[in-house]
Amino acid sequence: MTDIDRRHCLTLSLTLATGVGLAALHASAHAQTPNTESALAKALRDKRLRSDGIMLEFPRLADTGNAVPLRVEIAAPTGLALAALEVILPENPNPSVVKLRLPEPQARYLFHTRLRLAASQDAWVIATYSDSSQRAANAPTIITSSACFDGTG
């Protein structure tokens, strides 16, 4: 039996959730110029998932990327319930920063956290509902000082 570490688990879950191979995207994401969208961000945007029912509060400007607050409120569509949610920061060295599977699906869910950002970017939230359908929302922020100098973000 082979052990699987946290990073490989996140890579596998992100690949399954987005349909995009993270290993192939990781190098190109960090080779981008600051004004160029990474391959992972483009793949998320190209999925064109609906965003209704997902509200994000994310500051448009943050002094530092060390602890940027994110508030997510999700209201499931009628007849469905939220089963899982994922927070993705496409420009971070480790883009899948939060992945929650709810023990019991919820009609409404409120989630607060603080995120460590490697660069100015959009934070993405992908909600998966009880029928396996997905919706996603994103919000941009500009940071004046990166938090991921050592590549651990």
Side-chain angles (χ1 to χ4, degrees):
M1 187 161 126
T2 305
D3 290 337
I4 186 167
D5 66 9
R6 179 181 164 274
R7 289 179 190 226
H8 286 98
C9 184
L10 290 174
T11 299
L12 178 61
S13 66
L14 183 62
T15 300
L16 293 174
T18 64
V20 177
L22 185 61
L25 297 177
H26 182 71
S28 66
H30 295 286
Q32 305 293 319
T33 61
N35 295 327
T36 304
E37 185 175 57
S38 71
L40 178 55
K42 183 176 177 352
L44 289 167
R45 194 171 310 286
D46 287 349
K47 286 183 81 169
R48 298 182 188 266
L49 294 171
R50 294 173 51 181
S51 63
D52 48 315
I54 303 174
M55 187 179 86
L56 303 180
E57 288 181 18
F58 198 51
R60 292 224 177 250
L61 179 65
D63 289 335
T64 178
N66 285 328
V68 181
L70 173 70
R71 181 181 183 273
V72 179
E73 187 173 344
I74 300 174
T78 305
L80 296 178
L82 179 68
L85 78 92
E86 183 172 14
V87 178
I88 299 173
L89 297 174
E91 309 305 327
N92 275 18
N94 299 308
S96 183
V97 295
V98 174
K99 188 159 189 150
L100 298 175
R101 294 219 183 271
L102 304 178
E104 293 185 27
Q106 305 289 316
R108 297 187 67 79
Y109 195 75
L110 179 62
F111 177 76
H112 297 263
T113 191
R114 292 190 176 270
L115 303 171
R116 187 173 179 188
L117 278 70
S120 297
Q121 61 186 296
D122 285 7
W124 286 81
V125 173
I126 300 175
T128 303
Y129 297 101
S130 51
D131 68 348
S132 298
S133 65
Q134 292 185 320
R135 293 189 182 179
N138 64 304
T141 194
I142 297 172
I143 59 169
T144 57
S145 176
S146 175
C148 299
F149 295 117
D150 61 355
T152 61

